Amino acid sequence: MSLLAREGEKELQAALQKVQADMESQGCSREEIGSQLASVRESHAAYMRQQRQMLQEREEVYKEAIAEGLTPEAAKARVQACAQWQQQMQRLQAKHQAAMQKTHHEAEAAGVSPAEIKRRLEAQRRLQQAEAEAWQQKMRARQQAASEAAEKGQSAAEVEKAVKAVTRAQDAAWAEREAALLAAEGVARREAAEAARQLADASLSPEIRRILLARVRIGGLSARPDLNGREGVAKMWVVEKSRFAVLVDGQGAKAAEQLLLKAANLTVLQPAGGGGGGSGAAAEEEEPP
């Protein structure tokens, strides 16, 4: 058994003993304790897989550095940089996990629907994926800037200056993108809140509330026949237009788009609360928004 495996096993056993002791002191049932211990084992197994992968990555970095003709000392320095990069990525992942939990708890506390909770979590995942990609791009840009400066024979101070300039540019680009994503999420939450209000609005007809937030299929359009047969979600009832704001799914090369459509052009596939779908009214010619 490798040193990594031995240390991992020690950590696992200590964690299992602590969890079992804590849950027994709280009077938890044997089934509850068993379930939690299984969860701990699963999480630890995932952690160990990640640790082994990180170790393999560092070994590969060392081998590549030696193959490039670097001295063992220089190769070790590159491995150290790789280890720091891995640690920063772990911190980013931990931050993302905490953010997901916070989003879920806040949504539950606000009393939003399960569908809205799911949408918020998916939006959070997209934001986190974008942040991870931006961070990796920044690390690559920093490394490239350092390499180019070193190749030009610049001093350590000049190399550091070049790296800091690239870092500022990458951080500014991410800040701008993050602001746009957060603004879009703010709009989505306001729309979801308005749709939830409309669902509870008894002044709206049963037909409108039946379609609201439902998954629908579009049909009967002549001005946009390319949309017929496409599916989407009726996000909101736009009172002043007497139409639904429908977010049409992307399809192949066709991007997702939001349009205002009449109820008559929509067939409910799945109501907002789940369950079976139903037919909408006979399709009519849609009118320009």
Side-chain angles (χ1 to χ4, degrees), residues 72-263:
E73 292 73 17
K76 289 178 182 178
R78 184 176 292 185
V79 169
Q80 183 61 31
C82 176
Q84 292 174 353
W85 182 90
Q86 291 172 336
Q87 290 170 359
Q88 291 174 350
M89 178 58 79
Q90 283 186 311
R91 286 194 289 270
L92 183 62
Q93 291 171 344
K95 169 191 168 186
H96 287 172
Q97 184 176 6
M100 289 292 288
Q101 293 173 347
K102 180 180 179 182
T103 297
H104 191 274
H105 293 158
E106 288 180 345
E108 285 187 330
V112 302
S113 68
E116 173 59 10
I117 291 178
K118 180 180 178 181
R119 189 206 63 76
R120 291 189 184 188
L121 292 176
E122 289 175 347
Q124 185 69 32
R125 287 190 190 94
R126 289 193 296 272
L127 174 65
Q128 291 174 352
Q129 182 179 0
E131 183 178 18
E133 290 172 353
W135 185 83
Q136 291 172 347
Q137 182 177 350
K138 179 173 74 173
M139 292 300 103
R140 288 192 294 268
R142 283 166 54 92
Q143 185 177 16
Q144 182 177 354
S147 297
E148 291 177 352
E151 288 175 359
K152 294 176 182 178
Q154 296 180 345
S155 66
E158 290 173 325
V159 171
E160 182 179 359
K161 182 178 179 181
V163 170
K164 286 184 176 180
V166 167
T167 300
R168 286 194 298 270
Q170 292 290 329
D171 286 343
W174 165 243
E176 182 177 352
R177 186 180 180 192
E178 182 184 32
L181 290 170
L182 291 175
E185 173 60 9
V187 171
R189 291 193 182 190
R190 288 191 293 274
E191 289 179 346
E194 174 60 17
R197 185 197 66 77
Q198 291 178 343
L199 275 175
D201 187 352
S203 68
L204 294 177
S205 71
E207 177 65 8
I208 289 176
R209 286 186 287 166
R210 185 179 73 87
I211 299 175
L212 189 60
L213 294 180
R215 184 151 191 82
V216 297
R217 179 182 293 121
I218 301 169
L221 303 182
S222 60
R224 288 288 307 273
D226 58 301
L227 291 174
N228 291 328
R230 297 272 295 277
E231 298 179 5
V233 175
K235 294 178 59 179
M236 191 168 55
W237 174 246
V238 183
V239 178
E240 58 272 22
K241 298 289 186 178
S242 296
R243 284 165 173 76
F244 286 97
V246 179
L247 180 61
V248 185
D249 297 342
Q251 188 179 72
K254 299 176 181 177
E257 57 182 312
Q258 183 164 305
L259 301 169
L260 295 179
L261 299 173
K262 290 163 48 174

Side-chain angles (χ1 to χ4, degrees), residues 30-45:
R30 182 177 299 177
E31 291 75 16
E32 290 174 324
I33 294 175
S35 176
Q36 186 61 31
L37 292 179
S39 178
V40 170
R41 290 190 181 92
E42 183 178 347
S43 297
H44 185 267

